[in-house]
Amino acid sequence: MPLHVPPAPAPALRTVLTALGSPTAVREARTPSLLHAQAPATPELPLPVHVLDRLTPAGASATRLAGWRFLIRCDDRAVAAADTMLTPDGWAFSRFFEGPYITSTERALRQAESMPQSYQPRLLSVPGLYMLTLWLHGDCTADGATGHPAATDLLVPLAPAPPGIAAHRPHRVAELLPVLTHRVTPVPLLGSPA
């Protein structure tokens, strides 16, 4: 089924296009793939990046939108990504980067396209575990900038995933969040108050 990619805010896209057109921004990014690209670089597949700051035994706290990530494509492959963030003055370009999350995101998106149900793709970061997942939201008409994971949504951990969590294996939120909660909840020391 096709993925329903939510539209990114136009100002966020403009900041990425401006940064791509700036030799200084590209040179200072220290992304060799982008710096040495022979074909034009184009931003594609805007994904809202949500952060899950707190997990409690009761489940997920609400997520917050941290920005939008665009895969930067040259020819037929993504060579880098660009992040934007919301500032008091509006959307701003944040950074270019490359690394394993780029290819892992592409792989997870291809996986999702072969699933029988349609989803709205998002990214969900779990900073307490240094973990990034492709969040496949079941409501394709939802505003991509709001909400939190529904129990029936899917999370696909991206590589590199934390030890003991398989990358690229889709999990229902209701199944994976208890595992993540257990992982980020500190274990009380002997003799310490519970």
Side-chain angles (χ1 to χ4, degrees), residues 60-81:
S61 65
T63 63
R64 65 178 169 83
L65 180 68
W68 284 79
R69 178 167 295 167
F70 297 79
L71 293 181
I72 306 299
R73 188 169 299 280
C74 289
D75 288 328
D76 61 343
R77 66 184 190 97
V79 297

Side-chain angles (χ1 to χ4, degrees), residues 49-181:
V49 180
H50 293 262
V51 176
L52 184 59
D53 287 318
R54 261 183 5 119
L55 286 166
T56 66
S61 65
T63 63
R64 65 178 169 83
L65 180 68
W68 284 79
R69 178 167 295 167
F70 297 79
L71 293 181
I72 306 299
R73 188 169 299 280
C74 289
D75 288 328
D76 61 343
R77 66 184 190 97
V79 297
D83 279 347
T84 62
M85 62 183 180
L86 190 57
T87 69
D89 295 325
W91 287 99
F93 170 75
S94 176
R95 67 185 179 129
F96 289 119
F97 67 95
E98 59 184 51
Y101 283 131
I102 309 301
T103 54
S104 187
T105 301
E106 277 195 308
R107 178 179 169 188
L109 288 166
R110 281 193 306 273
Q111 262 183 287
E113 286 174 339
S114 68
M115 293 179 177
Q117 182 180 340
S118 292
Y119 290 100
Q120 182 187 82
R122 304 169 175 198
L123 293 172
L124 181 66
S125 173
V126 185
L129 292 174
Y130 301 101
M131 180 179 184
L132 185 64
T133 69
L134 178 65
W135 168 14
L136 299 172
H137 190 52
D139 182 359
C140 296
T141 62
D143 178 355
T146 62
H148 66 280
T152 56
D153 287 353
L154 294 178
L155 297 176
V156 182
L158 300 180
I165 297 176
H168 298 286
R169 183 174 173 267
H171 300 270
R172 293 248 176 250
V173 167
E175 298 164 358
L176 186 59
L177 281 185
V179 172
L180 300 181
T181 302

Side-chain angles (χ1 to χ4, degrees), residues 6 8 19 22 28 34 41 43 52 57 62 80 82 116 132 159 170 178 185 187 189 194:
S22 165
E28 289 178 0
L34 188 57
L52 184 59
L132 185 64
T185 304
V187 177
L189 299 173

